[in-house]
Amino acid sequence: MSALHFSRVVIVGVGLIGGSLALALKRAGVAGKVIGVGRSRASLERAQALGVIDEAAPLEVAAKGASLIVLCAPVAQTFALLHALEPHLEPGTIVTDAGSTKSDVIMAAKTALGDKVAQFVPAHPIAGRELNGVEAALAGLYEGKKTVLCPLQENARADVAAVRAMWEAAGADCHVMSAVQHDAVFAAVSHLPHVLSYALVAQVANAEDAALKLDFAGGGFRDFTRIAASSPEMWRDICVANRDALLREIATYQSVLAHLKARIEASDGEGLERVFARASQARLAWGAQRAAAANVEP
Amino acid sequence: MSALHFSRVVIVGVGLIGGSLALALKRAGVAGKVIGVGRSRASLERAQALGVIDEAAPLEVAAKGASLIVLCAPVAQTFALLHALEPHLEPGTIVTDAGSTKSDVIMAAKTALGDKVAQFVPAHPIAGRELNGVEAALAGLYEGKKTVLCPLQENARADVAAVRAMWEAAGADCHVMSAVQHDAVFAAVSHLPHVLSYALVAQVANAEDAALKLDFAGGGFRDFTRIAASSPEMWRDICVANRDALLREIATYQSVLAHLKARIEASDGEGLERVFARASQARLAWGAQRAAAANVEP
């Protein structure tokens, strides 16, 4: 047994993210019993049959004697889950989450948990697959991936350290930043591109000559719109959850686009090229750095 | 010798596009002598050394006795090239081009060639590689790719048929549409995505916390911004050349984005999901259709 050990781990939402974490903690030998909580009995039964969880239980039962409770359900459910958990949350239990947005999750946690929010350590593992559900869960999903921790002032240092150690046991590299910073970063590099990609596909698909346009769409369109095939429900929730940071990024983007439009209106090739060249250099440098760091596709 | 034969083919601009066409026509046995015209002596010498062209000559010399002249230089040079060609253009010569935009090319051709514009058959092969220059030229570049022809009212049917047959000999599937339709299609599915991708990278790279943001940018950002690594000079020219159609697409995009922004401002998850779901379905259907048709990556 490792020095790090959680005797009773509760995974709330046993899909790709929660299931992969359960498998990773089992593989690392840091989890005793793993209890799954979820809305779908069929899905919990599959998780148990696959050996992802040891048993299934309702949240209030699962919470009894839990060392660690990890929320892996969609972020929109955070308040309801923590509100239901609060009366059953014991003093020795650490609660954490895996949500893609943090300010709203923290707001929900403070409202739902009151003073017990000190036991809640917000986190966001940056990992995913194109597949969903517990069948897609992999013990290695978090290996070499980043996890962001956004500790609260109220958190005990030991609890933050335990959550960090848990993610490290799952193979992730942990980074600490404020929730505001986290939400601004992901609004810019993830949430905004999703909105922009959905918007382009909606525009082309709604055009009178949609069939002709799609017939001539090539590799550039394919890459630009790949993320527009993502789950509409998940991205709806993320957009609403990270509303403020995303609105700021959209407003900035509207200014950048208006600037480029004005350059095109003025047939100002030089002005356009300045922006394009800077972007092109930044993209090439990012790709090269990323490829060098991780030996992945630029 | 094939029934189709161009005894003297002039390629103006012997880079990836022009060089690949020269190689494809030679391989198909439909080209006699291939003459290269270009601004860089070194590049023409390389083209000759690689066997892409048989000889190099200035435009006015190359035009003498030419059966076919193909403009493969950047679209911004169309007027200057045709203006220089006009006094030397013989009645039996067909002129065509490979430009990514068509309305502006036709305008330039009408102004530069006057009555001789009847000899000019506008075309756009939809093919490319991430590499540029004659060294990247491939005889098979156009195989299975689409070429759009935008014939003029002034063109003789036989000349249009000859240009079509030339592209078919190079392996391309030919499609005929009006220049206005062509420019609208490519503004929507190619030029607009490039502008949007450049804009996002410019925004992230110009942010105060650019380094942090780029550090957490993942696979979605990578795919969305791949086209922002494209040549700034080429895309500057295309944006200016296809100004009117592109401005219409940008204006539509601004409306779509403003609509999504308003839905986010109102925390209207249902309204957002409607747009996202329609886009997601359209993108999945497009990917599946494309994969089925060409056995390529969705």
Side-chain angles (χ1 to χ4, degrees):
Chain A
M1 192 190 288
S2 154
L4 179 74
H5 197 260
F6 301 99
S7 59
R8 187 177 167 89
V9 175
V10 179
I11 303 285
V12 183
V14 191
L16 169 68
I17 296 298
S20 295
L21 181 60
L23 289 174
L25 298 180
K26 284 184 169 214
R27 191 175 69 170
V30 300
K33 190 169 268 188
V34 176
I35 324 292
V37 173
R39 290 183 300 186
S40 152
R41 180 187 295 258
S43 150
L44 288 171
E45 278 168 7
R46 271 200 307 281
Q48 198 167 345
L50 290 165
V52 171
I53 58 172
D54 300 310
E55 55 187 70
L59 184 56
E60 60 275 21
V61 176
K64 217 168 276 175
S67 20
L68 181 69
I69 299 174
V70 190
L71 304 188
C72 300
V75 285
Q77 296 173 30
T78 307
F79 176 80
L81 287 169
L82 291 177
H83 186 68
L85 172 65
E86 193 272 342
H88 310 279
L89 180 58
E90 299 175 1
T93 307
I94 301 172
V95 185
T96 185
D97 79 317
S100 313
T101 57
K102 293 274 73 73
S103 301
D104 70 304
V105 161
I106 291 170
M107 182 83 82
K110 291 195 172 181
T111 316
L113 295 177
D115 287 349
K116 291 184 182 174
V117 80
Q119 292 167 246
F120 179 72
V121 182
H124 173 203
I126 319 301
R129 294 182 72 190
E130 290 180 24
L131 301 165
N132 289 308
V134 69
E135 295 83 357
L138 297 171
L141 186 69
Y142 303 109
E143 261 165 33
K145 300 292 164 55
K146 294 184 173 77
T147 289
V148 178
L149 303 178
C150 301
L152 306 178
Q153 288 187 308
E154 293 90 336
N155 291 150
R157 282 177 161 236
D159 289 357
V160 176
V163 171
R164 182 183 194 120
M166 176 201 75
W167 281 110
E168 286 173 354
D173 293 324
C174 291
H175 299 257
V176 173
M177 61 177 86
S178 72
V180 169
Q181 181 69 78
H182 169 279
D183 289 352
V185 164
F186 289 94
V189 301
S190 172
H191 311 167
L192 176 61
H194 275 81
V195 170
L196 299 177
S197 182
Y198 279 126
L200 180 76
V201 177
Q203 171 166 345
V204 172
N206 286 329
E208 295 288 329
D209 51 358
L212 185 68
K213 282 175 173 162
L214 290 169
D215 205 30
F216 283 91
F221 180 85
R222 178 198 62 216
D223 291 344
F224 185 92
T225 61
R226 186 168 286 129
I227 50 179
S230 311
S231 157
E233 300 77 16
M234 182 174 134
W235 284 95
R236 166 202 70 192
D237 285 354
I238 289 175
C239 288
V240 172
N242 200 21
R243 186 176 165 277
D244 296 349
L246 181 53
L247 287 173
R248 275 191 295 275
E249 292 296 330
I250 292 177
T252 305
Y253 191 81
Q254 288 176 315
S255 310
V256 177
L257 186 56
H259 172 77
L260 290 176
K261 190 186 181 198
R263 295 305 92 222
I264 296 169
E265 267 164 355
S267 296
D268 174 11
E270 214 176 295
L272 272 180
E273 193 184 344
R274 257 198 304 276
V275 180
F276 290 178
R278 172 148 172 65
S280 173
Q281 281 155 18
R283 179 56 177 78
L284 287 167
W286 178 80
Q289 197 176 13
R290 196 164 179 268
N295 202 18
V296 296
E297 194 189 355
Chain B
M1 192 188 289
S2 154
L4 180 74
H5 197 260
F6 301 99
S7 59
R8 187 176 168 89
V9 175
V10 179
I11 302 285
V12 183
V14 191
L16 169 68
I17 296 299
S20 296
L21 181 60
L23 289 173
L25 297 181
K26 285 184 168 213
R27 192 175 67 171
V30 300
K33 190 169 271 189
V34 176
I35 324 292
V37 174
R39 290 184 301 187
S40 152
R41 181 187 294 258
S43 150
L44 288 171
E45 279 168 6
R46 269 200 307 281
Q48 199 168 344
L50 290 165
V52 172
I53 57 173
D54 299 309
E55 55 186 68
L59 184 56
E60 60 274 21
V61 176
K64 217 167 274 173
S67 21
L68 181 69
I69 299 175
V70 190
L71 303 188
C72 300
V75 285
Q77 295 172 31
T78 307
F79 176 80
L81 288 170
L82 292 178
H83 187 68
L85 172 65
E86 193 272 341
H88 310 281
L89 180 58
E90 299 174 1
T93 307
I94 301 172
V95 186
T96 185
D97 79 315
S100 312
T101 57
K102 293 273 73 70
S103 301
D104 69 305
V105 161
I106 292 171
M107 181 84 81
K110 291 196 172 180
T111 315
L113 295 178
D115 288 348
K116 291 184 181 173
V117 80
Q119 293 168 245
F120 179 72
V121 181
H124 174 203
I126 319 302
R129 295 183 71 192
E130 289 181 25
L131 300 165
N132 289 308
V134 69
E135 295 83 357
L138 297 172
L141 185 68
Y142 302 109
E143 261 166 32
K145 300 291 163 55
K146 293 185 173 78
T147 289
V148 178
L149 302 178
C150 302
L152 306 179
Q153 289 187 305
E154 294 89 336
N155 291 151
R157 279 175 163 240
D159 289 356
V160 176
V163 171
R164 182 182 195 120
M166 175 202 77
W167 281 110
E168 287 173 354
D173 293 324
C174 290
H175 299 257
V176 173
M177 61 177 86
S178 73
V180 169
Q181 181 69 79
H182 169 280
D183 289 352
V185 164
F186 289 93
V189 301
S190 171
H191 311 167
L192 175 62
H194 276 81
V195 170
L196 299 176
S197 183
Y198 278 127
L200 180 76
V201 177
Q203 171 166 344
V204 172
N206 286 329
E208 295 288 330
D209 51 359
L212 185 68
K213 282 174 173 163
L214 290 169
D215 206 30
F216 283 92
F221 180 85
R222 177 197 63 214
D223 291 345
F224 185 92
T225 61
R226 187 169 285 130
I227 51 180
S230 310
S231 156
E233 299 78 15
M234 181 175 134
W235 284 95
R236 166 202 70 192
D237 285 354
I238 289 175
C239 289
V240 173
N242 201 20
R243 186 176 165 277
D244 296 349
L246 181 54
L247 286 173
R248 275 191 294 275
E249 292 295 331
I250 293 177
T252 305
Y253 191 82
Q254 287 177 317
S255 309
V256 177
L257 186 56
H259 172 78
L260 290 175
K261 190 186 180 199
R263 296 305 92 222
I264 296 169
E265 267 164 354
S267 296
D268 173 11
E270 215 176 294
L272 272 180
E273 192 184 345
R274 258 197 304 276
V275 180
F276 290 178
R278 171 147 173 65
S280 173
Q281 282 156 17
R283 178 57 177 78
L284 287 167
W286 178 81
Q289 197 176 13
R290 196 165 180 268
N295 202 18
V296 296
E297 192 189 356

